Amino acid sequence: MENDRISAETTILQADAAALGAARTAVLAGDIVAIPTETVYGLAADATHGEAVAKIFAAKQRPAFNPLICHVSDIAMAERYVTFDPVSRVLAGRFWPGALTLVLPLAESHDIHPLVTAGLATVALRAPRGFGAQLIEAVDRPLAAPSANPSGRISATTAQAVARELDGRVRLVIDAGPAPVGVESTIIKVDGDTVRLLRPGGIAAEDIEAAIGRPLVRAEQRAAIEAPGMLASHYAPSVPVRLDAARVEPSEALLGFGPVRAAGAKHAHAVLVLSETGDPVEAAANLFEHMHRLDATGATAIAVEPIPEAGLGEAINDRLRRAAAPRGQS
């Protein structure tokens, strides 16, 4: 993105000690800050401050019934706000800090604002790495931080994408380069003896199943909203998305995967490949930025080549199915 497309109302700072100080000042003043995490960039605010959290919803134009992920530094901090069951504690010990979110019952003494939880008796918690972790420690408060993009649109994996999509709606964006994982966190909820996968994400379901020694139960796509990222239509570009494309039309852009292109690729409006070698980890890291770039080409639609479901392929396909869903579904 060209720098002259960013208004004077939005400042991008490189992630260093000065940026950490500026972000801390903003959060403690009840403002919102766009921050890097290992999954995607997040729009962060003090999760205990109602007016600050309301600014997130306003900036994203996010429906109030859609809860937010709350970020903490570690298990000890999480225990101020939630009650752990044994399985969730094992998962937190194995995958925190990292790309795992746990939906847990709120403790009686918690002070997380109801806007974060959408009035539910549970909250989605994650412990991030990097700058996000440093900021949480600096403010000693949990941070509500959904993806830093307009609600329902493609998530941002670079500071430049944040500034482009939320220009004028967020004053401070911290830049730590491209998000290394590239898709949002995996969301898990333990219900008695059942461990439910509410949203596939940056940790493969197979790795979680290995850690707990039991299979995960997948949530239905149109299930009741229990956590972020469960809307049927989500992560969407401005043009339609067509999945499992064996052929691409000249007016369409092609999102490829693996070494072999769909028929008609030479005449496509534009072509970007998630991973030439068919690596789902590389594909996940490229997914949202490639979708942003193809969306900006002027193509009439984005055709997507088939992607296997194994490993992070499950998370990639989840995002693509929601991007392809009819708009306005919830």
Side-chain angles (χ1 to χ4, degrees), residues 33-326:
V33 181
I35 64 170
T37 79
E38 70 272 45
T39 56
V40 298
Y41 275 66
L43 193 59
D46 179 356
T48 69
H49 191 304
E51 291 183 8
V53 175
K55 291 178 182 178
I56 294 176
F57 282 90
K60 287 177 61 69
Q61 298 179 315
R62 183 184 179 99
F65 61 78
N66 196 7
L68 306 177
I69 290 179
C70 189
H71 295 70
V72 294
S73 57
D74 52 27
I75 292 175
M77 185 177 189
E79 287 179 323
R80 301 184 205 171
Y81 308 101
V82 299
T83 301
F84 278 90
D85 61 87
V87 173
S88 294
R89 185 176 289 277
V90 167
L91 288 172
R94 169 67 178 81
F95 295 108
W96 281 7
L100 178 70
T101 293
L102 297 168
V103 177
L104 297 164
L106 288 161
E108 290 185 8
S109 59
H110 81 89
D111 59 351
I112 293 174
H113 196 274
L115 273 175
V116 175
T117 65
L120 298 172
T122 56
V123 65
L125 281 190
R126 182 169 93 84
R129 299 181 185 275
F131 187 90
Q134 296 171 26
L135 182 57
I136 293 165
E137 292 179 358
V139 299
D140 193 32
R141 298 179 190 182
L143 296 180
S147 56
N149 57 283
S151 184
R153 294 295 305 278
I154 305 168
S155 298
T157 56
T158 66
Q160 291 71 30
V162 175
R164 180 177 63 242
E165 296 294 315
L166 294 177
D167 190 19
R169 301 190 212 175
V170 56
R171 288 184 285 187
L172 181 59
V173 180
I174 308 301
D175 185 0
V181 175
V183 292
E184 293 84 356
S185 59
T186 303
I187 302 182
I188 296 294
K189 183 179 182 182
V190 178
D191 286 325
D193 293 331
T194 301
V195 184
R196 299 169 57 212
L197 176 65
L198 300 185
R199 180 182 74 181
I203 295 177
E206 296 91 332
D207 293 336
I208 295 171
E209 290 172 335
I212 60 176
R214 69 178 80 174
L216 297 174
V217 175
R218 269 65 173 175
E220 295 293 331
Q221 187 169 11
R222 294 191 61 82
I225 303 299
E226 299 180 75
M230 294 185 70
L231 295 176
S233 177
H234 207 35
Y235 315 110
S238 62
V239 297
V241 174
R242 184 166 64 85
L243 303 181
D244 297 324
R247 183 176 188 85
V248 58
E249 300 301 325
S251 63
E252 294 180 318
L254 177 65
L255 185 63
F257 179 82
V260 180
R261 298 284 67 77
K266 290 183 179 180
H267 304 291
H269 188 82
V271 178
L272 288 174
V273 180
L274 293 171
S275 173
E276 292 279 3
T277 63
D279 179 4
V281 175
E282 180 185 14
N286 287 330
L287 177 63
F288 289 135
E289 187 60 24
H290 279 19
M291 288 178 68
H292 274 296
R293 290 171 61 188
L294 292 178
D295 194 28
T297 64
T300 60
I302 299 174
V304 184
E305 292 176 352
I307 299 171
E309 288 280 342
L312 290 188
E314 182 175 9
I316 294 168
N317 282 305
D318 172 80
R319 303 308 188 273
L320 290 169
R321 282 190 288 268
R322 295 178 194 275

